[in-house]
Amino acid sequence: MTTIGHLINGEMINNDTRTQDVFNPATGEVTRKVALASKQTVEQAITAAEAAFPAWRNTPPIKRARVMFRFKELLEKNADKICQLIGQEHGKISHDAAGELQRGIENVEYACGAPELLKGEHSKNVGPNIDSWSEFQPLGVVAGITPFNFPAMVPMWMFPLAIVCGNTFILKPSERDPSSTLFIAQLLKEAGLPDGVMNVVNGDKEAVDTLLNDQRIKAVSFVGSTPIAEYIYATANANGKRCQALGGAKNHAIIMPDADMDNAVNQLLGAAFGSSGERCMALSVAVVVGDDAADTLIAKMTEGMKGLSVGDYSNANNDFGPVITSAHRDKVNGFIESAKEEGATVVVDGRNPEVAGFENGFFVGATLIDHVTQDMFSYQAEIFGPVLQVVRVKTMQEAMQLINDHEYGNGTCIFTRDGEAARYFSDNIQVGMVGINVPLPVPVAYHSFGGWKRSLFGDLHAYGPDGVRFYTKRKTITQRWPSSGVREGISFAFPS
Ligand code: NAD
């Protein structure tokens, strides 16, 4: 059986003793093993990245960008293979994997603008014969730690921008589905990236803790669950590193009584159940204003859910695939049971679906739960499965209060035909990414991605303009070239 190793200094390395099984979640079979990097292996990667930094830092931004242009072409050329690797280990259907890859490529396209992004700021004549400018210098060796649910896209939120900004990079992908991430990183070499600029270490807590504690790592980008995000942020900060740590979510959609209900239902079906609900922007709660609207929504959702098919990634007719592990399937099933025990109504119960030919897969079917309330454990937690909970409220204010009270603040949206209500909602809701009749308001690559509250620890969001700021440090230079023969007098006053 293949053991997936690490990419260090342009070479595949595989001499760690610890390994972990990688599953095909649709069949339940172990298909590969992944090496779990020891402290020594991670240190080898850091040494390589540190050695590659001086030359890469001094490579003109236009030349760094040209690597990304070639990388983008290679990603497009190899799209089918990448989607297949994602499907085999994550389980997401090919159309969903293709969408993820495309959003990743858009971050590469943004990074191709490096010369423009790094132009800096200039002011002439800030004083007599004095000019001042700010430039954005790379940090050095930076690290990225990523989750299982977007093995192609989330790493590409990080390394293309970090690299074109002149940094060298160490990526620690999810150990549950590492193959597509590693394959993508290998394409960078073909695109002309010098060895050591991009390194991948597979592994678990030991690898992460080594990155967090090594003084040579200057910054850490993390995406994953909130408890780990909080740990990463605290540890990185304690060690003097810059850190952005994106965490979990519970994304609510408000359904106003005036909404186009058929449209809202179609949007909810995709946003709640697509990718088995394993998206940090998945809509997991529908907050419906008024009982009439709620009854209509429940009836239409129930009807719409009859047509959904769950199954293997390779059949493009399937709507979504399995969840990532058997343990996660049991956890999702446990949340459904807990909602029932706490008095909610399970309208459509997707537990233990029959998937012909894939009886041992980690499947959960689409599930709809009505009469969910704020005090329920399953409402407070991130379920991260194909489960839509419905909370009934009387007013829009009540709906917004519910969202503002929740510990997470990643994404949210409102379905309405009322512009005034939509504007009030987007102005006042305590959430980082807001949709108006848009269920998954994932910002495009030239904006930045990030939640509020316990969905993000740190000041700067991921990718886009905030990404450039995160991966560079500002230096401001003030310069005077006195005219020949002119002597400046002594002054003890503060320069003004
Ligand atoms: P996770 O937190 O279990 O793992 C994320 C990364 O942290 C992995 O690389 C993993 O190896 C590492 N890790 C896990 N436990 C660790 C520990 N104890 N110490 C150090 N490192 C550790 O997350 P996951 O299950 O892979 O991904 C799903 C979660 O990610 C969900 O909560 C989802 O909402 C979140 N997510 C958030 C965003 C966002 O942008 N906010 C995007 C995608 C996923």
Side-chain angles (χ1 to χ4, degrees):
M1 187 173 288
T2 318
T3 300
I4 304 154
H6 322 287
L7 176 67
I8 299 177
N9 209 20
E11 303 291 331
M12 287 304 300
I13 307 284
N14 203 342
N15 46 19
D16 285 295
T17 46
R18 290 190 312 129
T19 61
Q20 181 172 313
D21 292 340
V22 178
F23 290 83
N24 176 342
T27 62
E29 287 164 0
V30 177
T31 52
R32 300 180 181 104
K33 287 184 178 292
V34 61
L36 301 176
S38 64
K39 185 168 185 279
Q40 289 72 21
T41 302
V42 178
E43 285 175 348
Q44 195 184 338
I46 300 172
T47 302
E50 197 185 30
F53 177 62
W56 185 244
R57 172 194 194 276
N58 289 322
T59 302
I62 187 79
K63 291 196 172 169
R64 294 184 211 142
R66 281 185 194 134
V67 174
M68 288 301 152
F69 275 106
R70 290 190 289 271
F71 179 50
K72 169 188 145 68
E73 283 176 8
L74 288 168
L75 287 167
E76 286 167 347
K77 199 171 127 194
N78 289 282
D80 287 347
K81 172 150 190 200
I82 294 167
C83 292
Q84 195 178 14
L85 289 171
I86 296 173
Q88 285 169 0
E89 294 180 357
H90 175 283
K92 69 176 74 170
I93 313 299
S94 48
H95 46 72
D96 192 21
E100 147 167 23
L101 180 59
Q102 179 55 32
R103 291 306 288 260
I105 289 173
E106 288 171 15
N107 286 278
V108 179
E109 289 168 345
Y110 183 75
C112 288
E116 172 70 22
L117 298 172
L118 295 170
K119 258 190 340 200
E121 300 160 356
H122 188 270
S123 298
K124 194 173 167 66
N125 278 338
V126 296
N129 293 325
I130 302 177
D131 302 328
S132 185
W133 71 92
S134 294
E135 55 190 44
F136 297 94
Q137 298 196 343
L139 306 176
V141 185
V142 302
I145 300 156
T146 52
F148 80 84
N149 65 325
F150 286 105
M153 180 183 77
V154 169
M156 285 197 274
W157 286 0
M158 302 174 183
F159 70 78
L161 206 47
I163 285 174
V164 295
C165 287
N167 302 285
T168 55
F169 202 86
I170 300 182
L171 177 67
K172 207 303 283 171
S174 172
E175 62 275 41
R176 297 186 201 154
D177 50 5
S179 289
S180 62
T181 322
L182 186 63
F183 178 73
I184 286 171
Q186 286 172 303
L187 294 177
L188 279 165
K189 186 173 172 127
E190 203 179 328
L193 191 73
D195 289 346
V197 176
M198 173 70 178
N199 306 275
V200 179
V201 288
N202 282 305
D204 54 7
K205 185 170 169 54
E206 182 172 342
V208 171
D209 284 346
T210 306
L211 292 169
L212 291 176
N213 289 308
D214 195 301
Q215 288 309 308
R216 294 171 293 173
I217 301 285
K218 302 301 176 203
V220 176
S221 296
F222 172 87
V223 176
S225 60
T226 286
I228 310 298
E230 199 165 20
Y231 165 74
I232 301 279
Y233 188 69
T235 314
N237 270 316
N239 287 327
K241 301 183 198 313
R242 187 177 285 187
C243 185
Q244 54 180 186
L246 283 69
K250 187 87 175 183
N251 306 310
H252 298 63
I254 297 183
I255 321 293
M256 296 291 282
D258 70 342
D260 175 337
M261 211 48 99
D262 289 319
N263 181 51
V265 165
N266 282 344
Q267 304 296 320
L268 279 171
L269 287 169
F273 307 130
S275 210
S276 315
E278 289 177 326
R279 292 176 179 148
C280 65
M281 290 292 276
L283 282 181
S284 47
V285 187
V287 191
V288 193
V289 179
D291 271 330
D292 289 349
D295 291 342
T296 307
L297 184 93
I298 292 285
K300 286 181 184 283
M301 282 296 293
T302 309
E303 196 52 34
M305 288 166 70
K306 284 183 188 154
L308 299 183
S309 62
V310 55
D312 179 51
Y313 80 93
S314 59
N315 181 351
N317 293 323
N318 286 329
D319 295 303
F320 60 93
V323 297
I324 188 70
T325 57
S326 59
H328 190 55
R329 175 199 54 203
D330 297 345
K331 195 171 161 192
V332 173
N333 286 347
F335 279 125
I336 299 169
E337 188 58 30
S338 131
K340 199 171 164 182
E341 280 167 6
E342 289 189 284
T345 310
V346 181
V347 182
V348 180
D349 191 339
R351 286 176 288 183
N352 309 314
E354 280 178 22
V355 184
F358 295 91
E359 285 74 15
N360 296 322
F362 312 141
F363 292 101
V364 183
T367 297
L368 182 65
I369 309 179
D370 196 4
H371 299 290
V372 172
T373 53
Q374 202 173 10
D375 53 317
M376 291 181 184
F377 171 61
S378 65
Y379 168 77
Q380 290 157 7
E382 178 184 41
I383 297 178
F384 222 54
V387 180
L388 181 68
Q389 298 182 302
V390 176
V391 180
R392 295 171 176 239
V393 294
K394 292 195 169 52
T395 63
M396 178 177 157
Q397 285 296 349
E398 204 186 322
M400 286 178 62
Q401 193 61 50
L402 193 74
I403 298 171
N404 289 345
D405 285 347
H406 206 285
E407 67 168 310
Y408 297 122
N410 215 39
T412 187
C413 83
I414 188 166
F415 290 102
T416 182
R417 288 181 165 112
D418 181 342
E420 188 184 359
R423 193 163 189 275
Y424 181 81
F425 172 75
S426 66
D427 263 1
N428 293 289
I429 205 72
Q430 298 300 304
V431 172
M433 293 170 284
V434 178
I436 295 163
N437 298 313
V438 172
L440 296 175
V442 178
V444 289
Y446 37 99
H447 286 257
S448 296
F449 182 109
W452 286 11
K453 298 186 276 185
R454 289 173 60 75
S455 292
L456 182 133
F457 301 88
D459 302 313
L460 291 167
H461 288 196
Y463 67 74
D466 269 16
V468 178
R469 290 290 172 269
F470 184 79
Y471 292 122
T472 55
K473 51 189 173 188
R474 175 188 288 266
K475 182 177 277 179
T476 304
I477 297 130
T478 306
Q479 168 181 273
R480 170 164 54 194
W481 292 109
S483 305
S484 53
V486 176
R487 281 277 174 282
E488 303 291 336
I490 299 171
S491 171
F492 295 97
F494 197 69
S496 63

